[in-house]
Amino acid sequence: MPQAKAFSAASATSPLAQTAIDRRAATPTDVQIEILFCGVCHSDLHTVRNEWASVMPTVYPCVPGHEIVGRVTAVGAAVKGHKAGDLVGVGCLVDSDHSCPACAADMEQFCPNGVFTYNSPDKHLGGVTFGGYSESIVVDEKFVLRVPTNLDLAGVAPLLCAGITTYSPLRHWKVGAGQKVGVVGLGGLGHMGVKFARAFGAHVVVFTTSPGKKEDALRLGAHEVVVSSNAEEMGKHAFSFDFILDTVSAAHDVNAYLHLLKMNGHMTMVGAPETPLPVSVFSLIFGRHSLSGSLIGGIKETQEMLDFCGKNNITADVEVIPIQRINEAYERLLKSDVKYRFSIDMASLKNA
Ligand code: NAP
Ligand code: ZN
């Protein structure tokens, strides 16, 4: 069995540490990838620390990472769309059943038999899938994406989750010119939401708990920035938003944002705090407001997003780290201290 160096957590309270994992030999439909960069998503941290135990309990050891950019090293005999040397990406999904209504609609993320890149049952090797905090990965060709060659690769990696997770709901709810759009939380997802909403032509307002991020929010594309603890600033925006995208990773008051929607306005949750959030019905019925959620995006839409980023020169703003600093990066994520995505340079693991 081929082995690969990786970083894994042995339990919810253990730091990530170097290990070796099995990677399957490529089947005829597989693509073997040398991982160059892997983004650090807050979902990695939620999973490593088993914060989503009630919905998706973590199986240990856990190798997280689902914002993968790499180079193809080999392909199976039946693979048509990729060849050795190609730059490719892998996001949160590595398999699905290809036969359910969700798959038929190109929304594999909702397939009841979908396989996530990590912490999902692995039908090839048993146990669970291992993600991108590793020097290599083997993935079915249908879940391997083409990466535009004109972009900085460290900044491309986060597009595979933070990018598609914000692009998809903004597209689904047809955000564009003439609309006022709010983005709550300026982290990995939030800063991509700002870039896309701006690129789609909306008037963009960022809500942040971090006054120090104001200037960055404007540089990233926001027209206005509101510090959410300032009641007066919040009040000025009452009943004015067409759409709000909530990317916050921890418990917070969603009613404060629902009140900012105009008549028939819509708010979508992409952030996934570990505890339920109380919703006051009154913040919905006054104004016929809607509240929904959105999960990453399908493979076809992820490719569309990557192509859009290639054409429009969009990447994540990253702080590149060696994998040996991953535990410190998690602590900084918890302090909202990331500008605006950590991207692991996987050469640090290869050379370790
Ligand atoms: P992140 O980089 O840590 O950003 C989260 C941001 O939320 C922080 O930068 C901070 O922004 C704000 N925040 C943090 N704690 C807060 C609190 N207590 N109250 C109010 N605001 C707070 O995380 P991320 O990687 O963007 O992920 C965000 C969430 O989305 C996570 O829960 C993650 O699991 C989830 N996620 C969901 C999907 C999906 O498909 N739905 C996909 C990927 C990730 P400010 O400093 O600006 O306030
Ligand atoms: Zn993610």
Side-chain angles (χ1 to χ4, degrees), residues 41 43 66-67 92 161-162 341:
C41 181
S43 304
H66 57 203
E67 296 186 333
C92 304
C161 174
R341 195 58 138 188

Side-chain angles (χ1 to χ4, degrees), residues 81-143:
H82 306 283
K83 59 178 190 319
D86 286 356
L87 281 178
V88 292
V90 176
C92 304
L93 297 164
V94 290
D95 208 353
S96 69
D97 64 21
H98 304 295
S99 60
C100 71
C103 288
D106 291 314
M107 284 184 279
E108 300 86 358
Q109 73 272 34
F110 303 126
C111 172
N113 299 304
V115 180
F116 290 110
T117 305
Y118 58 83
N119 201 42
S120 267
D122 184 334
K123 72 179 182 197
H124 298 272
L125 298 178
V128 291
T129 50
F130 290 144
Y133 294 9
S134 168
E135 55 183 347
S136 66
I137 192 165
V138 179
V139 179
D140 183 279
E141 62 166 327
K142 291 197 184 75
F143 293 83

Side-chain angles (χ1 to χ4, degrees), residues 21-76:
I21 56 170
D22 291 339
R23 289 297 194 195
R24 67 180 184 260
T27 71
T29 56
D30 276 341
V31 177
Q32 190 184 65
I33 300 162
E34 177 197 2
I35 301 178
L36 300 175
F37 291 95
C38 185
V40 179
C41 181
H42 207 114
S43 304
D44 301 349
L45 188 159
H46 288 307
T47 306
V48 161
R49 302 196 177 174
N50 205 13
E51 291 175 355
W52 292 337
S54 60
V55 190
M56 290 185 278
T58 304
V59 177
Y60 296 94
C62 171
V63 178
H66 57 203
E67 296 186 333
I68 297 167
V69 162
R71 199 173 286 284
V72 176
T73 46
V75 297

Side-chain angles (χ1 to χ4, degrees), residues 27-351:
T27 71
T29 56
D30 276 341
V31 177
Q32 190 184 65
I33 300 162
E34 177 197 2
I35 301 178
L36 300 175
F37 291 95
C38 185
V40 179
C41 181
H42 207 114
S43 304
D44 301 349
L45 188 159
H46 288 307
T47 306
V48 161
R49 302 196 177 174
N50 205 13
E51 291 175 355
W52 292 337
S54 60
V55 190
M56 290 185 278
T58 304
V59 177
Y60 296 94
C62 171
V63 178
H66 57 203
E67 296 186 333
I68 297 167
V69 162
R71 199 173 286 284
V72 176
T73 46
V75 297
V79 172
K80 296 237 161 54
H82 306 283
K83 59 178 190 319
D86 286 356
L87 281 178
V88 292
V90 176
C92 304
L93 297 164
V94 290
D95 208 353
S96 69
D97 64 21
H98 304 295
S99 60
C100 71
C103 288
D106 291 314
M107 284 184 279
E108 300 86 358
Q109 73 272 34
F110 303 126
C111 172
N113 299 304
V115 180
F116 290 110
T117 305
Y118 58 83
N119 201 42
S120 267
D122 184 334
K123 72 179 182 197
H124 298 272
L125 298 178
V128 291
T129 50
F130 290 144
Y133 294 9
S134 168
E135 55 183 347
S136 66
I137 192 165
V138 179
V139 179
D140 183 279
E141 62 166 327
K142 291 197 184 75
F143 293 83
V144 177
L145 295 134
R146 294 181 307 279
V147 166
T149 51
N150 59 317
L151 301 175
D152 166 58
L153 290 184
V156 166
L159 300 178
L160 276 304
C161 174
I164 184 60
T165 301
T166 50
Y167 182 94
S168 181
L170 293 170
R171 282 299 198 211
H172 180 73
W173 278 283
K174 300 188 169 51
V175 162
Q179 293 185 0
K180 185 173 170 186
V181 172
V183 176
V184 187
L186 196 66
L189 267 58
H191 94 291
M192 289 313 306
V194 170
K195 290 187 185 207
F196 286 132
R198 177 69 187 240
F200 299 164
H203 180 87
V204 184
V205 182
V206 164
F207 294 94
T208 181
T209 59
S210 309
K213 292 181 182 174
K214 266 190 159 179
E215 270 175 37
D216 281 345
L218 298 171
R219 177 181 57 78
L220 291 164
H223 296 90
E224 299 178 65
V225 189
V226 174
V227 175
S228 51
S229 55
N230 184 325
E232 198 189 319
E233 278 186 56
M234 290 288 282
K236 281 188 197 150
H237 292 274
F239 301 111
S240 67
F241 282 88
D242 296 279
F243 185 84
I244 296 177
L245 186 67
D246 186 328
T247 75
V248 174
S249 51
H252 62 291
D253 180 17
V254 293
N255 302 293
Y257 299 101
L258 289 168
H259 285 305
L260 304 185
L261 294 171
K262 65 178 172 192
M263 190 172 70
N264 296 324
H266 192 101
M267 173 153 143
T268 290
M269 309 298 297
V270 285
E274 62 180 302
T275 51
L277 306 175
V279 174
S280 162
V281 168
F282 290 96
S283 53
L284 296 173
I285 61 180
F286 284 100
R288 194 162 56 191
H289 299 155
S290 320
L291 176 63
S292 65
S294 187
L295 179 70
I296 45 176
I299 295 301
K300 187 178 167 195
E301 193 175 39
T302 305
Q303 190 63 62
E304 175 193 307
M305 178 273 311
L306 286 170
D307 296 344
F308 180 87
C309 289
K311 276 199 196 91
N312 295 281
N313 255 305
I314 294 175
T315 53
D317 284 32
V318 291
E319 179 177 340
V320 177
I321 56 164
I323 198 160
Q324 292 76 13
R325 282 182 49 208
I326 189 65
N327 295 303
E328 177 194 330
Y330 278 19
E331 292 313 310
R332 285 180 54 196
L333 265 190
L334 288 173
K335 291 185 213 144
S336 304
D337 174 25
V338 49
K339 294 183 172 175
Y340 279 85
R341 195 58 138 188
F342 293 112
S343 185
I344 305 168
D345 182 350
M346 223 40 89
S348 60
L349 181 58
K350 198 176 172 179
N351 303 330

